[in-house]
């Protein structure tokens, strides 16, 4: 299975600022996924990022708030923009290969 | 649309007890994959098992076992002789293979398992 390096592992940010989360995969993958896990909740898919095309966002998530880059087949970033305390969550990236899903270690974001 | 239901929000057991975590799923696809993940307090997601829809054999891995029954759309997870280290949130998840859902994983709400010494 793929190995994912996700950073930062945690951050405390001021409201109104933005944070960019990076995921680096040790091998080329077609699809990368970004999830949000709010405190005490399950994982919710934010968007699917394919290299060379616009990310596909799930209902309730918009590109202006969560812009995603996918410059190549091993790397992706998710930006949480204009943050508010409601954005405090764990953000995880994930990749799929042959129906096996690997997750990064997560970014624990606290907005104050 | 795909859906995963984990009706048990929290379970508390005493060490060495057996415990079963329930998972019921909904999908229109005939080909799909089911997963269980463990999330300890540290937050990372630990993969436990993947099962495809054509393989209904039960699986055992050490103290862990899984019972997949298509007739009831269930994929239950049993821990035998539970240990304190088993304390975590456990998620059941589903992925449809048709590609129409973009291969995304849909998660249940999770079950918090606490194993007391």
């Amino acid at each position: 299975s793929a190995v994912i390096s996700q950073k930062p592992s945690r951050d405390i940010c001021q409201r109104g600022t933005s944070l960019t989360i990076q995921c680096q995969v040790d091998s080329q993958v077609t699809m990368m996924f970004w999830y949000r896990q709010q405190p005490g909740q399950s994982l919710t898919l934010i968007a699917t990022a394919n290299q060379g095309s616009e990310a596909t966002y799930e209902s309730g998530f918009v590109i202006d708030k969560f812009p995603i880059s996918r410059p190549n087949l091993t790397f992706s970033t998710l930006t949480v923009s204009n943050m508010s305390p409601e954005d405090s969550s764990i953000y995880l990236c994930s990749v799929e290969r042959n129906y096996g899903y690997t997750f990064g270690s997560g970014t624990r974001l606290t907005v104050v | 649309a795909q859906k995963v239901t984990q009706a048990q929000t929290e379970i508390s057991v005493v060490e060495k007890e057996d415990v079963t975590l329930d998972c019921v799923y909904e999908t229109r696809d005939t080909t799909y994959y089911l997963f269980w993940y463990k999330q300890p307090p540290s937050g990372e997601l630990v993969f436990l098992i993947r099962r495809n829809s054509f393989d209904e054999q039960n699986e055992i891995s050490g103290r862990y076992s899984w019972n997949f029954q298509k007739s009831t759309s269930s994929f239950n997870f049993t821990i035998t002789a539970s240990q304190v280290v088993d304390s975590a949130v456990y998620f059941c998840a589903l992925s449809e293979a048709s590609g129409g859902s973009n291969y995304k994983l849909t998660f249940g709400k999770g079950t918090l398992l606490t194993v007391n010494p």
Side-chain angles (χ1 to χ4, degrees), chain A residues 31 33 35 37 40-45 48 50 56 58 90 92 94 96-105 108, chain B residues 33 35 37 39 41-45 47 50 89 91 95-99 101-110:
Chain A
M31 284 184 284
F33 304 89
Y35 288 85
Q37 186 179 23
Q41 303 297 314
S42 185
L43 283 78
T44 301
L45 182 66
T48 303
N50 289 332
T56 302
E58 297 296 303
I90 298 174
L92 300 103
S94 174
E96 180 271 341
R97 181 183 292 143
N98 298 324
Y99 300 103
Y101 295 82
T102 306
F103 287 82
S105 54
R108 193 178 294 267
Chain B
Y33 293 84
F35 302 80
Y37 287 88
Q39 188 177 44
S42 54
E44 79 271 22
L45 275 178
F47 168 81
R50 182 187 76 179
V89 179
F91 291 100
S95 175
E96 293 173 339
S98 65
S101 60
N102 236 8
Y103 304 100
K104 69 178 183 181
L105 271 178
T106 297
F107 285 84
K109 292 185 180 297

Short mmCIF file of all heavy atoms in Angstrom, two decimals, chain A residues 31 33 35 37 40-45 48 50 56 58 90 92 94 96-105 108, chain B residues 33 35 37 39 41-45 47 50 89 91 95-99 101-110:
data_model
loop_
_atom_site.label_atom_id
_atom_site.label_comp_id
_atom_site.label_asym_id
_atom_site.label_seq_id
_atom_site.Cartn_x
_atom_site.Cartn_y
_atom_site.Cartn_z
N MET A 31 -6.13 9.14 -8.02
CA MET A 31 -7.06 9.94 -7.23
C MET A 31 -6.53 10.16 -5.81
O MET A 31 -6.01 9.25 -5.18
CB MET A 31 -8.42 9.25 -7.16
CG MET A 31 -9.22 9.37 -8.44
SD MET A 31 -10.85 8.65 -8.31
CE MET A 31 -10.42 6.92 -8.42
N PHE A 33 -7.99 11.98 -2.14
CA PHE A 33 -9.22 12.41 -1.48
C PHE A 33 -8.86 13.23 -0.25
O PHE A 33 -7.89 12.93 0.45
CB PHE A 33 -10.05 11.20 -1.04
CG PHE A 33 -10.38 10.24 -2.16
CD1 PHE A 33 -9.52 9.19 -2.46
CD2 PHE A 33 -11.53 10.38 -2.89
CE1 PHE A 33 -9.81 8.31 -3.48
CE2 PHE A 33 -11.84 9.50 -3.91
CZ PHE A 33 -10.97 8.46 -4.20
N TYR A 35 -10.56 14.56 3.36
CA TYR A 35 -11.66 14.35 4.30
C TYR A 35 -11.55 15.33 5.45
O TYR A 35 -10.46 15.76 5.84
CB TYR A 35 -11.62 12.94 4.89
CG TYR A 35 -12.01 11.84 3.93
CD1 TYR A 35 -11.08 11.29 3.07
CD2 TYR A 35 -13.32 11.35 3.89
CE1 TYR A 35 -11.43 10.27 2.19
CE2 TYR A 35 -13.68 10.34 3.02
CZ TYR A 35 -12.73 9.80 2.18
OH TYR A 35 -13.10 8.79 1.32
N GLN A 37 -12.84 15.62 9.53
CA GLN A 37 -13.44 14.94 10.68
C GLN A 37 -13.62 15.96 11.80
O GLN A 37 -12.67 16.33 12.49
CB GLN A 37 -12.57 13.77 11.16
CG GLN A 37 -13.24 12.96 12.26
CD GLN A 37 -12.40 11.77 12.71
OE1 GLN A 37 -11.19 11.76 12.55
NE2 GLN A 37 -13.07 10.77 13.28
N GLY A 40 -15.47 14.54 17.40
CA GLY A 40 -16.44 13.52 17.78
C GLY A 40 -17.30 13.00 16.64
O GLY A 40 -18.27 12.28 16.90
N GLN A 41 -16.94 13.35 15.43
CA GLN A 41 -17.76 12.96 14.28
C GLN A 41 -17.03 11.98 13.37
O GLN A 41 -15.86 11.66 13.59
CB GLN A 41 -18.15 14.20 13.47
CG GLN A 41 -18.89 15.26 14.26
CD GLN A 41 -20.23 14.76 14.78
OE1 GLN A 41 -21.01 14.14 14.03
NE2 GLN A 41 -20.51 15.01 16.04
N SER A 42 -17.76 11.54 12.35
CA SER A 42 -17.17 10.65 11.37
C SER A 42 -16.40 11.45 10.31
O SER A 42 -16.33 12.68 10.37
CB SER A 42 -18.28 9.83 10.71
OG SER A 42 -17.73 8.88 9.82
N LEU A 43 -15.85 10.75 9.35
CA LEU A 43 -15.13 11.40 8.27
C LEU A 43 -16.11 11.76 7.16
O LEU A 43 -16.94 10.94 6.74
CB LEU A 43 -14.06 10.47 7.70
CG LEU A 43 -12.79 10.32 8.51
CD1 LEU A 43 -13.00 9.39 9.69
CD2 LEU A 43 -11.64 9.84 7.63
N THR A 44 -15.95 12.98 6.67
CA THR A 44 -16.78 13.47 5.57
C THR A 44 -15.87 13.86 4.42
O THR A 44 -14.91 14.62 4.62
CB THR A 44 -17.61 14.69 6.01
OG1 THR A 44 -18.45 14.32 7.11
CG2 THR A 44 -18.48 15.19 4.86
N LEU A 45 -16.19 13.38 3.23
CA LEU A 45 -15.37 13.70 2.07
C LEU A 45 -15.58 15.15 1.67
O LEU A 45 -16.73 15.60 1.49
CB LEU A 45 -15.73 12.77 0.91
CG LEU A 45 -14.94 12.95 -0.38
CD1 LEU A 45 -13.47 12.58 -0.16
CD2 LEU A 45 -15.53 12.11 -1.50
N THR A 48 -12.51 15.25 -4.24
CA THR A 48 -11.62 14.30 -4.91
C THR A 48 -10.74 15.07 -5.86
O THR A 48 -11.24 15.88 -6.66
CB THR A 48 -12.45 13.26 -5.68
OG1 THR A 48 -13.35 12.61 -4.78
CG2 THR A 48 -11.55 12.23 -6.34
N ASN A 50 -8.03 14.90 -8.88
CA ASN A 50 -7.34 14.17 -9.94
C ASN A 50 -6.31 15.08 -10.57
O ASN A 50 -6.55 16.28 -10.75
CB ASN A 50 -8.33 13.72 -11.02
CG ASN A 50 -9.23 12.62 -10.51
OD1 ASN A 50 -8.86 11.85 -9.65
ND2 ASN A 50 -10.44 12.55 -11.05
N THR A 56 -13.21 17.70 -7.66
CA THR A 56 -14.66 17.51 -7.58
C THR A 56 -15.08 17.63 -6.12
O THR A 56 -14.66 16.81 -5.29
CB THR A 56 -15.06 16.13 -8.12
OG1 THR A 56 -14.61 16.00 -9.46
CG2 THR A 56 -16.58 15.97 -8.07
N GLU A 58 -17.75 17.77 -2.88
CA GLU A 58 -18.99 17.20 -2.38
C GLU A 58 -19.95 18.31 -1.98
O GLU A 58 -19.55 19.47 -1.78
CB GLU A 58 -18.70 16.29 -1.19
CG GLU A 58 -17.82 15.10 -1.53
CD GLU A 58 -18.46 14.16 -2.51
OE1 GLU A 58 -19.59 13.66 -2.23
OE2 GLU A 58 -17.85 13.89 -3.57
N ILE A 90 -10.03 17.59 12.25
CA ILE A 90 -8.89 16.87 11.70
C ILE A 90 -9.13 16.76 10.20
O ILE A 90 -10.23 16.38 9.77
CB ILE A 90 -8.76 15.46 12.32
CG1 ILE A 90 -8.52 15.55 13.82
CG2 ILE A 90 -7.64 14.69 11.65
CD1 ILE A 90 -8.53 14.20 14.53
N LEU A 92 -7.79 14.94 6.73
CA LEU A 92 -6.99 13.80 6.30
C LEU A 92 -7.01 13.68 4.78
O LEU A 92 -8.05 13.87 4.14
CB LEU A 92 -7.54 12.49 6.88
CG LEU A 92 -7.58 12.36 8.39
CD1 LEU A 92 -8.99 12.56 8.91
CD2 LEU A 92 -7.06 10.99 8.81
N SER A 94 -6.20 11.01 1.54
CA SER A 94 -6.27 9.57 1.31
C SER A 94 -6.04 9.29 -0.16
O SER A 94 -6.35 10.12 -1.01
CB SER A 94 -7.66 9.05 1.73
OG SER A 94 -7.81 7.69 1.40
N GLU A 96 -6.30 6.05 -3.21
CA GLU A 96 -6.92 4.77 -3.53
C GLU A 96 -6.08 4.06 -4.58
O GLU A 96 -5.63 4.66 -5.55
CB GLU A 96 -8.34 4.98 -4.07
CG GLU A 96 -9.08 3.70 -4.45
CD GLU A 96 -8.84 3.28 -5.89
OE1 GLU A 96 -8.41 4.13 -6.70
OE2 GLU A 96 -9.04 2.11 -6.23
N ARG A 97 -5.85 2.79 -4.35
CA ARG A 97 -5.18 1.97 -5.34
C ARG A 97 -5.78 0.58 -5.26
O ARG A 97 -5.71 -0.06 -4.21
CB ARG A 97 -3.68 1.91 -5.11
CG ARG A 97 -2.95 1.05 -6.17
CD ARG A 97 -1.48 0.94 -5.88
NE ARG A 97 -0.83 2.22 -6.07
CZ ARG A 97 0.15 2.65 -5.30
NH1 ARG A 97 0.56 1.92 -4.29
NH2 ARG A 97 0.73 3.80 -5.53
N ASN A 98 -6.38 0.15 -6.35
CA ASN A 98 -7.00 -1.19 -6.40
C ASN A 98 -7.96 -1.40 -5.24
O ASN A 98 -7.96 -2.45 -4.60
CB ASN A 98 -5.92 -2.27 -6.40
CG ASN A 98 -5.02 -2.18 -7.62
OD1 ASN A 98 -5.46 -1.85 -8.71
ND2 ASN A 98 -3.74 -2.46 -7.41
N TYR A 99 -8.74 -0.36 -4.97
CA TYR A 99 -9.76 -0.41 -3.92
C TYR A 99 -9.17 -0.59 -2.52
O TYR A 99 -9.86 -1.03 -1.61
CB TYR A 99 -10.82 -1.48 -4.22
CG TYR A 99 -11.52 -1.20 -5.52
CD1 TYR A 99 -11.20 -1.93 -6.65
CD2 TYR A 99 -12.46 -0.18 -5.61
CE1 TYR A 99 -11.81 -1.65 -7.86
CE2 TYR A 99 -13.07 0.10 -6.82
CZ TYR A 99 -12.73 -0.63 -7.94
OH TYR A 99 -13.34 -0.36 -9.13
N GLY A 100 -7.89 -0.27 -2.39
CA GLY A 100 -7.31 -0.17 -1.06
C GLY A 100 -7.09 1.30 -0.76
O GLY A 100 -6.62 2.05 -1.62
N TYR A 101 -7.50 1.76 0.39
CA TYR A 101 -7.43 3.17 0.73
C TYR A 101 -6.43 3.38 1.87
O TYR A 101 -6.55 2.76 2.93
CB TYR A 101 -8.80 3.70 1.15
CG TYR A 101 -9.82 3.66 0.03
CD1 TYR A 101 -10.49 2.49 -0.27
CD2 TYR A 101 -10.08 4.78 -0.72
CE1 TYR A 101 -11.41 2.44 -1.30
CE2 TYR A 101 -10.99 4.75 -1.76
CZ TYR A 101 -11.66 3.57 -2.04
OH TYR A 101 -12.56 3.53 -3.06
N THR A 102 -5.49 4.26 1.63
CA THR A 102 -4.49 4.60 2.65
C THR A 102 -4.72 6.04 3.06
O THR A 102 -5.03 6.89 2.22
CB THR A 102 -3.07 4.43 2.11
OG1 THR A 102 -2.93 3.11 1.58
CG2 THR A 102 -2.05 4.65 3.21
N PHE A 103 -4.54 6.31 4.35
CA PHE A 103 -4.76 7.65 4.89
C PHE A 103 -3.47 8.25 5.42
O PHE A 103 -2.62 7.53 5.95
CB PHE A 103 -5.80 7.62 6.01
CG PHE A 103 -7.19 7.40 5.52
CD1 PHE A 103 -7.65 6.12 5.24
CD2 PHE A 103 -8.05 8.47 5.32
CE1 PHE A 103 -8.93 5.90 4.76
CE2 PHE A 103 -9.34 8.27 4.86
CZ PHE A 103 -9.78 6.99 4.57
N GLY A 104 -3.36 9.57 5.27
CA GLY A 104 -2.30 10.28 5.96
C GLY A 104 -2.59 10.30 7.45
O GLY A 104 -3.68 9.92 7.90
N SER A 105 -1.62 10.77 8.20
CA SER A 105 -1.75 10.77 9.66
C SER A 105 -2.66 11.86 10.18
O SER A 105 -2.97 11.91 11.36
CB SER A 105 -0.37 10.88 10.30
OG SER A 105 0.29 12.02 9.79
N ARG A 108 -4.43 18.11 12.65
CA ARG A 108 -5.37 18.54 13.69
C ARG A 108 -5.34 20.06 13.75
O ARG A 108 -4.37 20.65 14.21
CB ARG A 108 -5.00 17.93 15.03
CG ARG A 108 -6.06 18.06 16.11
CD ARG A 108 -5.60 17.36 17.38
NE ARG A 108 -5.48 15.92 17.21
CZ ARG A 108 -6.42 15.04 17.48
NH1 ARG A 108 -7.59 15.45 17.93
NH2 ARG A 108 -6.21 13.74 17.33
N TYR B 33 -17.03 -2.66 -2.03
CA TYR B 33 -16.03 -3.07 -1.05
C TYR B 33 -16.43 -2.53 0.31
O TYR B 33 -16.91 -1.41 0.43
CB TYR B 33 -14.66 -2.53 -1.44
CG TYR B 33 -14.12 -3.17 -2.70
CD1 TYR B 33 -14.49 -2.69 -3.95
CD2 TYR B 33 -13.26 -4.26 -2.63
CE1 TYR B 33 -14.01 -3.29 -5.11
CE2 TYR B 33 -12.77 -4.84 -3.77
CZ TYR B 33 -13.15 -4.37 -5.01
OH TYR B 33 -12.68 -4.95 -6.15
N PHE B 35 -15.08 -2.00 4.41
CA PHE B 35 -13.85 -1.81 5.17
C PHE B 35 -14.16 -1.61 6.65
O PHE B 35 -15.25 -1.14 7.01
CB PHE B 35 -13.11 -0.54 4.69
CG PHE B 35 -12.76 -0.52 3.24
CD1 PHE B 35 -13.71 -0.20 2.29
CD2 PHE B 35 -11.47 -0.81 2.82
CE1 PHE B 35 -13.39 -0.17 0.93
CE2 PHE B 35 -11.14 -0.78 1.47
CZ PHE B 35 -12.10 -0.46 0.53
N TYR B 37 -11.95 0.33 9.83
CA TYR B 37 -10.78 1.09 10.26
C TYR B 37 -10.86 1.31 11.77
O TYR B 37 -11.94 1.45 12.33
CB TYR B 37 -10.72 2.45 9.58
CG TYR B 37 -10.34 2.42 8.12
CD1 TYR B 37 -11.32 2.26 7.14
CD2 TYR B 37 -9.02 2.54 7.72
CE1 TYR B 37 -10.99 2.24 5.80
CE2 TYR B 37 -8.67 2.51 6.38
CZ TYR B 37 -9.66 2.35 5.43
OH TYR B 37 -9.31 2.32 4.10
N GLN B 39 -9.49 3.91 14.79
CA GLN B 39 -8.92 5.22 15.04
C GLN B 39 -8.64 5.36 16.54
O GLN B 39 -9.53 5.67 17.32
CB GLN B 39 -9.84 6.35 14.56
CG GLN B 39 -9.18 7.72 14.64
CD GLN B 39 -10.06 8.83 14.10
OE1 GLN B 39 -11.25 8.88 14.37
NE2 GLN B 39 -9.46 9.72 13.31
N PRO B 41 -6.86 7.10 19.98
CA PRO B 41 -6.88 8.52 20.40
C PRO B 41 -5.87 9.39 19.68
O PRO B 41 -6.08 10.61 19.57
CB PRO B 41 -6.58 8.43 21.90
CG PRO B 41 -7.09 7.08 22.29
CD PRO B 41 -6.82 6.19 21.12
N SER B 42 -4.81 8.82 19.17
CA SER B 42 -3.82 9.62 18.45
C SER B 42 -4.37 10.17 17.14
O SER B 42 -3.81 11.13 16.59
CB SER B 42 -2.58 8.77 18.16
OG SER B 42 -2.95 7.57 17.50
N GLY B 43 -5.44 9.59 16.61
CA GLY B 43 -6.11 10.18 15.46
C GLY B 43 -5.88 9.53 14.12
O GLY B 43 -6.65 9.77 13.18
N GLU B 44 -4.82 8.74 13.98
CA GLU B 44 -4.60 8.16 12.66
C GLU B 44 -5.62 7.05 12.39
O GLU B 44 -6.17 6.48 13.31
CB GLU B 44 -3.17 7.62 12.52
CG GLU B 44 -2.93 6.28 13.18
CD GLU B 44 -2.52 6.38 14.62
OE1 GLU B 44 -2.80 7.42 15.25
OE2 GLU B 44 -1.93 5.41 15.12
N LEU B 45 -5.85 6.78 11.14
CA LEU B 45 -6.78 5.71 10.75
C LEU B 45 -5.97 4.45 10.42
O LEU B 45 -5.12 4.48 9.54
CB LEU B 45 -7.59 6.12 9.53
CG LEU B 45 -8.84 6.92 9.78
CD1 LEU B 45 -9.50 7.30 8.47
CD2 LEU B 45 -9.83 6.14 10.63
N PHE B 47 -6.01 0.73 9.01
CA PHE B 47 -6.78 -0.19 8.18
C PHE B 47 -6.83 -1.56 8.86
O PHE B 47 -5.80 -2.08 9.32
CB PHE B 47 -6.12 -0.31 6.81
CG PHE B 47 -6.61 -1.43 5.96
CD1 PHE B 47 -7.78 -1.29 5.24
CD2 PHE B 47 -5.92 -2.62 5.87
CE1 PHE B 47 -8.24 -2.32 4.43
CE2 PHE B 47 -6.37 -3.66 5.07
CZ PHE B 47 -7.53 -3.51 4.35
N ARG B 50 -10.48 -5.30 4.32
CA ARG B 50 -11.27 -4.99 3.14
C ARG B 50 -11.92 -6.27 2.66
O ARG B 50 -11.28 -7.32 2.62
CB ARG B 50 -10.40 -4.42 2.03
CG ARG B 50 -11.18 -4.04 0.77
CD ARG B 50 -10.27 -3.65 -0.35
NE ARG B 50 -9.65 -4.82 -0.96
CZ ARG B 50 -8.81 -4.75 -1.99
NH1 ARG B 50 -8.48 -3.58 -2.49
NH2 ARG B 50 -8.28 -5.84 -2.51
N VAL B 89 -12.03 4.35 18.38
CA VAL B 89 -13.24 4.47 17.57
C VAL B 89 -13.06 3.58 16.35
O VAL B 89 -12.00 3.59 15.71
CB VAL B 89 -13.48 5.92 17.12
CG1 VAL B 89 -14.74 6.01 16.26
CG2 VAL B 89 -13.61 6.84 18.33
N PHE B 91 -14.55 2.47 12.63
CA PHE B 91 -15.38 2.92 11.53
C PHE B 91 -15.56 1.80 10.51
O PHE B 91 -14.59 1.13 10.12
CB PHE B 91 -14.75 4.12 10.81
CG PHE B 91 -14.73 5.38 11.61
CD1 PHE B 91 -13.59 5.79 12.26
CD2 PHE B 91 -15.88 6.18 11.69
CE1 PHE B 91 -13.57 6.97 13.00
CE2 PHE B 91 -15.86 7.35 12.43
CZ PHE B 91 -14.71 7.74 13.09
N SER B 95 -17.25 1.35 -0.34
CA SER B 95 -16.88 1.96 -1.60
C SER B 95 -17.55 1.20 -2.73
O SER B 95 -17.47 -0.03 -2.77
CB SER B 95 -15.36 1.93 -1.78
OG SER B 95 -15.00 2.43 -3.05
N GLU B 96 -18.21 1.93 -3.60
CA GLU B 96 -18.85 1.29 -4.75
C GLU B 96 -17.83 1.17 -5.88
O GLU B 96 -17.04 2.07 -6.11
CB GLU B 96 -20.07 2.09 -5.19
CG GLU B 96 -21.19 2.06 -4.15
CD GLU B 96 -22.34 2.98 -4.51
OE1 GLU B 96 -22.13 3.91 -5.30
OE2 GLU B 96 -23.44 2.76 -3.97
N ALA B 97 -17.89 0.08 -6.61
CA ALA B 97 -16.88 -0.19 -7.62
C ALA B 97 -17.27 0.30 -9.02
O ALA B 97 -16.47 0.24 -9.93
CB ALA B 97 -16.59 -1.68 -7.68
N SER B 98 -18.48 0.84 -9.14
CA SER B 98 -18.94 1.21 -10.48
C SER B 98 -18.21 2.44 -11.00
O SER B 98 -18.23 2.73 -12.18
CB SER B 98 -20.44 1.48 -10.45
OG SER B 98 -20.71 2.61 -9.63
N GLY B 99 -17.63 3.20 -10.09
CA GLY B 99 -16.96 4.42 -10.51
C GLY B 99 -17.89 5.62 -10.53
O GLY B 99 -17.45 6.75 -10.58
N SER B 101 -19.56 6.79 -8.19
CA SER B 101 -19.37 7.59 -6.98
C SER B 101 -17.91 8.01 -6.86
O SER B 101 -17.48 8.45 -5.81
CB SER B 101 -19.81 6.79 -5.76
OG SER B 101 -19.03 5.60 -5.66
N ASN B 102 -17.18 7.87 -7.94
CA ASN B 102 -15.79 8.30 -7.96
C ASN B 102 -14.92 7.53 -6.97
O ASN B 102 -13.94 8.06 -6.49
CB ASN B 102 -15.70 9.79 -7.66
CG ASN B 102 -14.99 10.55 -8.76
OD1 ASN B 102 -14.68 10.00 -9.80
ND2 ASN B 102 -14.73 11.81 -8.52
N TYR B 103 -15.33 6.30 -6.68
CA TYR B 103 -14.56 5.41 -5.81
C TYR B 103 -14.40 5.96 -4.40
O TYR B 103 -13.52 5.53 -3.67
CB TYR B 103 -13.17 5.15 -6.41
CG TYR B 103 -13.24 4.59 -7.81
CD1 TYR B 103 -13.05 5.41 -8.91
CD2 TYR B 103 -13.50 3.24 -8.01
CE1 TYR B 103 -13.12 4.90 -10.20
CE2 TYR B 103 -13.58 2.73 -9.29
CZ TYR B 103 -13.39 3.56 -10.39
OH TYR B 103 -13.46 3.06 -11.65
N LYS B 104 -15.20 6.89 -4.00
CA LYS B 104 -15.02 7.47 -2.68
C LYS B 104 -15.49 6.51 -1.61
O LYS B 104 -16.33 5.63 -1.83
CB LYS B 104 -15.81 8.77 -2.56
CG LYS B 104 -17.32 8.58 -2.57
CD LYS B 104 -18.04 9.91 -2.40
CE LYS B 104 -19.54 9.72 -2.34
NZ LYS B 104 -20.24 11.03 -2.19
N LEU B 105 -14.95 6.68 -0.41
CA LEU B 105 -15.35 5.91 0.74
C LEU B 105 -16.45 6.66 1.49
O LEU B 105 -16.32 7.86 1.74
CB LEU B 105 -14.18 5.72 1.69
CG LEU B 105 -13.25 4.53 1.50
CD1 LEU B 105 -12.14 4.58 2.54
CD2 LEU B 105 -14.01 3.23 1.62
N THR B 106 -17.48 5.93 1.84
CA THR B 106 -18.52 6.49 2.71
C THR B 106 -18.39 5.81 4.06
O THR B 106 -18.42 4.57 4.15
CB THR B 106 -19.92 6.25 2.12
OG1 THR B 106 -20.02 6.93 0.88
CG2 THR B 106 -20.99 6.75 3.08
N PHE B 107 -18.27 6.60 5.11
CA PHE B 107 -18.04 6.09 6.45
C PHE B 107 -19.32 6.08 7.27
O PHE B 107 -20.19 6.95 7.11
CB PHE B 107 -17.01 6.95 7.18
CG PHE B 107 -15.61 6.75 6.73
CD1 PHE B 107 -15.12 7.42 5.62
CD2 PHE B 107 -14.77 5.89 7.42
CE1 PHE B 107 -13.82 7.23 5.20
CE2 PHE B 107 -13.46 5.69 7.01
CZ PHE B 107 -12.99 6.36 5.90
N GLY B 108 -19.41 5.10 8.16
CA GLY B 108 -20.41 5.17 9.21
C GLY B 108 -19.99 6.20 10.25
O GLY B 108 -18.91 6.77 10.17
N LYS B 109 -20.84 6.42 11.23
CA LYS B 109 -20.56 7.43 12.25
C LYS B 109 -19.54 6.96 13.28
O LYS B 109 -19.06 7.77 14.08
CB LYS B 109 -21.85 7.85 12.94
CG LYS B 109 -22.80 8.61 12.01
CD LYS B 109 -24.00 9.13 12.76
CE LYS B 109 -24.94 9.89 11.84
NZ LYS B 109 -24.31 11.09 11.27
N GLY B 110 -19.23 5.70 13.27
CA GLY B 110 -18.21 5.18 14.17
C GLY B 110 -18.79 4.68 15.48
O GLY B 110 -19.85 5.13 15.93
#
